Amino acid sequence: MAERTVLVTGGTGGLGGAVTAAFLTAGWRVVVPEREGGGAAPAAGPVRVVADLLDPAGAARAVAVAAAEPAAPLRAVVNLVGGYASGGLVHETPIEEFDRMLRINLRPTYLVTQAALPHLVEAGGGAVVCVSARAAVAPFPGAAGYVTAKAAVQAFANAVAVEYRQRGVRCNTVLPSVIDTPANRAAQPDADHRRWVPPAEIAAVIRFLASDESAPTSGASIPVYGRA
């Protein structure tokens, strides 16, 4: 039986599926929140919970399920939920679109981490891994809301790393470039997909950052750019 639990938000997405598989293969109990129930999971698969992670009560519900197994305490949180939208330059971008990028990228990360931290501390420590983006450190035109939101995720992770260092909780960030998912291939059919980073390779980095193998590492921003 699994001896530790990881909560993976966005676990049904293109990257999330690879992250979930990486933890299951490593013997973790994996809890994956969903906005709508997708039916029963396989016996050897993740534990699924219906929860709206934009809502404090939903985030708390997901964390409660993740922390509900005494034999496998919650020891890691992986924040994958987010979204991307491009548009015009700043003076052409409505504030509603700017706010939407902050809401879907930053709010779930904050709420889930906030709810999980007491459980991680109580379990004797653990790890939080957040997903920012290369755009946070190398912005490009036409995506000010996305760039700002991902930079905010990175800053939030660094704040958590500092605040909880003495309580045994580490927090690190990965910064992907373009992930080689079916959705991204459909959106950019003419791109050189060989330069993109496969989800399984990012998942391996995330699993490492959540494990005891990376115990000395906190407050790091890890580039996972592939060849892009």
Side-chain angles (χ1 to χ4, degrees):
M1 293 185 61
E3 297 180 353
R4 54 182 57 194
T5 295
V6 57
L7 175 62
V8 180
T9 75
T12 59
L15 175 57
V19 171
T20 296
F23 279 99
L24 288 172
T25 299
W28 290 64
R29 174 178 175 261
V30 182
V31 175
V32 175
E34 300 176 316
R35 286 185 65 89
E36 298 179 358
V47 176
R48 302 187 182 276
V49 53
V50 177
D52 179 2
L53 301 183
L54 291 170
D55 175 64
R61 182 181 310 113
V63 169
V65 171
E69 181 52 67
L74 179 62
R75 296 300 300 272
V77 173
V78 178
N79 291 303
L80 302 180
V81 169
Y84 170 78
S86 60
L89 300 178
V90 170
H91 77 279
E92 301 167 327
T93 302
I95 185 60
E96 291 79 11
E97 179 58 28
F98 187 84
D99 282 344
R100 189 175 78 87
M101 285 292 96
L102 288 171
R103 180 175 175 81
I104 65 176
N105 285 287
L106 183 60
R107 186 180 175 92
T109 293
Y110 180 86
L111 289 175
V112 171
T113 303
Q114 180 188 49
L117 281 167
H119 295 282
L120 295 173
V121 171
E122 183 180 357
V128 178
V129 183
C130 299
V131 176
S132 179
R134 181 168 65 177
V137 295
F140 54 87
Y146 175 76
V147 168
T148 303
K150 287 303 188 181
V153 168
Q154 184 183 17
F156 171 69
N158 291 341
V160 171
V162 170
E163 289 190 3
Y164 290 86
R165 180 180 298 148
Q166 302 304 322
R167 301 187 182 191
V169 178
R170 301 177 295 109
C171 190
N172 295 289
T173 312
V174 295
L175 285 71
S177 53
V178 183
I179 305 173
D180 190 4
T181 64
N184 283 338
R185 286 194 175 220
Q188 302 181 54
D190 298 327
D192 183 356
H193 303 142
R194 296 171 300 174
R195 298 176 62 87
W196 295 357
V197 59
E201 293 184 1
I202 301 175
V205 175
I206 290 173
R207 190 212 61 79
F208 170 74
L209 291 173
S211 72
D212 293 339
E213 299 166 76
S214 62
T217 306
S218 190
S221 296
I222 311 297
V224 285
Y225 298 163
R227 295 166 51 210

